[in-house]
């Protein structure tokens, strides 16, 4: 069974074709600049040169059509015809309160996705456009949606309810939803498998640290709390996002400093985080370069703040879980930045966290990085959201 995984952004389409008989990645592709000048499709297949298509692609439907052509292309493709695709799994960011599981696409689901657009306009709208495009291009192929929020559907009310007037929750759905759920679910299941443990028996703190970052407390395989909230702006500091701040700062910026609410949104989403502190970059590699090689003090401070926020979140979740068995690092920074992992875990020895500095030098591969006698095990587990989406899609078909 071959499953196509689609992830539509506002001007991009990422896709992977996965053979579920052995979980082999047959092809992966990225279409960029959809709807703008210079559209480009790049498809990678193991052991082959990149296949690049540069033609105007005015919308997502055209982009997906070119992706399908690339997959069946006589010389550069990996399948003979589209009939070999058994199903399509779509990544959708926000599933609201209704969906705490993946679902097969039908009219009712599409109507609900429309309702959820207001909760995540930047993400859900392109996700819907992608599904509609696939429905038009592959009308007979079953499709599933896999939500970033779904894994956090198990959070108890005390974790997801804000101490705000209750009617804001009841009437308007204002609550914590959490994000990166597909990634947290994948790495938590994978780490249990690698440890040879039953996931029911362990407490996990999963640290997804990439451009966006979120920390999740997982008990018995279920999310019980997570650092992102009503939107992916909440929680720890990120590349360009502020994470949690005193909400009164927003009123101050508007009332005292004269910013419009759109400007505040731009500041908090795009001009904060390590970029905001340093004015250097949102990419942690650039910040590390400035801090370690150029002795840039503000870059050092940004790294310090970045790690400190994650450290204190780990502490909070150790309390929420009533003890932790394993801490997992994943995503671009979590998998690759060993210096950041050291900074985050330094000082947590009292909790029984002991990092093995040699093992910790690993980048981007599954590894135990704590010492043999560390009470809390620490692992690097590369995330694979696409494979998780493909598995969920397959399970729904069965
Ligand atoms: P992601 O959002 O998971 O794709 O992660 C992307 C981010 O990972 C980039 O913006 C980089 O900041 C970060 N990254 C990748 N490799 C490294 C590294 N070796 N050290 C620090 N950060 C890294």
């Amino acid at each position: 069974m071959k499953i196509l995984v689609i992830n539509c952004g506002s001007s991009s389409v990422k896709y992977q074709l996965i053979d579920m008989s052995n979980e082999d990645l047959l092809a992966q592709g990225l279409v960029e600049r959809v709807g703008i000048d210079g559209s480009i499709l790049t498809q990678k297949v193991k052991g082959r040169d990149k296949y690049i298509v540069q033609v105007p692609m005015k919308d997502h439907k055209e982009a997906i059509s070119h992706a399908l052509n690339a997959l069946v292309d006589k010389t550069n493709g990996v399948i003979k015809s589209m009939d070999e695709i058994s199903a399509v799994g779509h990544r959708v960011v926000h599933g609201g309160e209704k969906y705490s599981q993946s679902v097969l696409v039908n009219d009712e689901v599409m109507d609900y996705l429309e309702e959820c657009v207001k909760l995540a306009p930047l993400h859900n709208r392109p996700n819907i456009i992608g599904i509609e495009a696939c429905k038009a291009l592959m009308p007979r192929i079953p499709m599933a949606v896999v939500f970033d929020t779904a894994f956090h559907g198990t959070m108890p009310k005390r974790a997801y309810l804000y101490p705000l007037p209750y009617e804001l929750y009841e009437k308007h759905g204002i609550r914590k939803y959490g994000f990166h759920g597909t990634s947290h679910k994948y790495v938590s299941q994978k780490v249990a498998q690698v440890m040879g443990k039953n996931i029911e028996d362990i407490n996990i703190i999963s640290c997804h640290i990439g451009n966006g970052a979120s920390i999740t407390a997982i008990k018995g395989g279920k999310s019980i709390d997570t650092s992102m909230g009503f939107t992916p702006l909440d929680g720890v500091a990120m590349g360009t996002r502020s994470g949690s701040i005193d909400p009164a700062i927003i009123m101050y910026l508007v009332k005292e400093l004269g910013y419009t609410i759109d400007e505040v949104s731009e500041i908090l989403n795009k001009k904060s985080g390590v970029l905001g502190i340093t004015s250097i970059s949102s990419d942690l590699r650039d910040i590390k370069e400035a801090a370690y090689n150029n002795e840039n003090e503000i870059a050092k401070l940004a790294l310090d703040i970045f790690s400190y926020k994650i450290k204190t979140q780990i502490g909070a979740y150790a309390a929420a879980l009533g003890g932790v068995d394993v801490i997992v690092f994943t995503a671009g920074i979590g998998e690759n930045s060993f210096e950041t992992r050291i900074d985050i875990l330094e000082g947590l020895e009292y909790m029984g966290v002991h990092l093995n500095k040699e093992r910790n030098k690993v980048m981007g591969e599954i590894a135990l990085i704590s010492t043999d006698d560390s009470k809390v095990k620490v692992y690097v587990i590369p995330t694979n959201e696409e494979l998780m989406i493909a598995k969920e899609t397959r399970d729904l078909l069965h």
Side-chain angles (χ1 to χ4, degrees):
M1 171 188 271
K2 292 173 187 128
I3 292 184
L4 178 64
V5 176
I6 299 269
N7 180 358
C8 278
S10 55
S11 63
S12 69
V13 178
K14 287 187 198 150
Y15 64 94
Q16 287 195 3
L17 186 67
I18 301 175
D19 183 348
M20 295 310 286
S21 62
N22 49 10
E23 299 186 356
D24 237 18
L25 175 59
L26 300 174
Q28 63 178 322
L30 170 65
V31 190
E32 293 166 283
R33 304 183 66 84
V34 178
I36 38 181
D37 282 353
S39 305
I40 176 166
L41 178 152
T42 312
Q43 179 168 282
K44 289 190 213 159
V45 175
K46 209 165 142 192
R48 290 194 207 160
D49 288 341
K50 277 183 195 165
Y51 174 47
I52 294 173
V53 179
Q54 267 179 302
V55 288
M57 299 182 215
K58 71 172 187 319
D59 56 26
H60 286 77
K61 191 171 163 198
E62 280 193 8
I64 293 170
S65 168
H66 281 287
L68 294 171
N69 287 341
L71 288 171
V72 299
D73 187 83
K74 277 209 169 63
T75 23
N76 301 286
V78 288
I79 47 174
K80 287 202 181 70
S81 88
M82 266 159 53
D83 293 341
E84 288 184 47
I85 301 173
S86 304
V88 182
H90 290 271
R91 177 190 184 205
V92 172
V93 168
H94 217 304
E97 275 216 299
K98 188 166 171 183
Y99 291 117
S100 52
Q101 277 175 357
S102 306
V103 282
L104 286 172
V105 172
N106 58 30
D107 289 346
E108 189 192 328
V109 170
M110 294 308 291
D111 287 348
Y112 187 70
L113 291 184
E114 280 293 338
E115 273 181 49
C116 289
V117 166
K118 62 178 183 291
L119 295 171
L122 295 181
H123 295 104
N124 268 37
R125 175 56 65 206
N127 297 159
I128 292 174
I129 292 171
I131 299 171
E132 296 291 2
C134 284
K135 277 168 65 179
L137 292 163
M138 298 174 268
R140 288 193 310 277
I141 299 180
M143 301 198 193
V145 283
V146 179
F147 302 101
D148 263 20
T149 47
F151 181 57
H152 303 297
T154 47
M155 285 189 292
K157 221 166 190 171
R158 68 176 180 205
Y160 74 68
L161 206 65
Y162 294 117
L164 291 169
Y166 198 74
E167 65 169 34
L168 290 178
Y169 164 63
E170 281 188 310
K171 286 197 188 144
H172 304 288
I174 295 179
R175 50 158 282 181
K176 176 186 283 199
Y177 291 99
F179 298 87
H180 292 146
T182 312
S183 175
H184 289 297
K185 185 173 183 178
Y186 176 81
V187 298
S188 58
Q189 291 184 352
K190 189 81 191 171
V191 81
Q193 185 198 338
V194 170
M195 292 169 81
K197 296 265 187 195
N198 185 342
I199 198 164
E200 302 282 330
D201 302 331
I202 51 177
N203 289 346
I204 303 170
I205 296 179
S206 163
C207 305
H208 177 112
I209 317 172
N211 249 331
S214 71
I215 317 300
T216 296
I218 301 163
K219 197 174 193 66
K222 296 192 166 74
S223 168
I224 63 155
D225 206 349
T226 191
S227 60
M228 281 180 170
F230 179 59
T231 73
L233 181 56
D234 200 7
V236 295
M238 302 175 222
T240 62
R241 284 173 252 170
S242 63
S244 311
I245 57 165
D246 179 346
I249 294 171
I250 296 166
M251 284 81 90
Y252 191 86
L253 288 173
V254 173
K255 286 176 79 174
E256 298 297 326
L257 303 184
Y259 287 95
T260 66
I261 207 69
D262 285 342
E263 285 167 343
V264 174
S265 172
E266 176 89 0
I267 291 174
L268 299 182
N269 280 292
K270 305 240 171 83
K271 296 182 177 167
S272 295
V274 291
L275 171 69
I277 301 166
T278 60
S279 301
I280 295 174
S281 169
S282 63
D283 192 312
L284 217 74
R285 286 167 290 202
D286 300 333
I287 309 297
K288 279 164 47 179
E289 165 80 19
Y292 304 148
N293 296 342
N294 301 329
E295 291 293 322
N296 181 311
E297 290 305 320
I298 200 84
K300 287 184 192 172
L301 177 63
L303 290 178
D304 200 19
I305 293 171
F306 187 79
S307 299
Y308 176 74
K309 296 287 180 196
I310 298 170
K311 185 201 303 283
T312 52
Q313 193 65 74
I314 289 174
Y317 287 164
L321 289 163
V324 49
D325 299 301
V326 51
I327 297 172
V328 183
F329 286 99
T330 196
I333 298 167
E335 291 168 27
N336 297 304
S337 182
F338 54 88
E339 302 95 333
T340 308
R341 295 193 295 254
I342 294 175
D343 291 347
I344 292 169
L345 298 181
E346 207 167 58
L348 298 185
E349 293 79 9
Y350 78 95
M351 269 172 51
V353 181
H354 298 277
L355 202 60
N356 177 315
K357 295 239 162 102
E358 263 318 296
R359 289 178 182 168
N360 182 48
K361 285 182 182 156
V362 70
M363 291 170 82
E365 56 185 272
I366 294 179
L368 172 72
I369 57 170
S370 48
T371 60
D372 287 339
D373 59 358
S374 182
K375 185 166 84 61
V376 178
K377 305 294 174 216
V378 186
Y379 278 86
V380 171
I381 304 280
T383 193
N384 193 340
E385 288 163 282
E386 291 78 13
L387 179 58
M388 195 75 222
I389 292 171
K391 282 181 176 180
E392 302 254 324
T393 304
R394 175 199 56 197
D395 293 349
L396 277 171
L397 287 185
H398 289 327

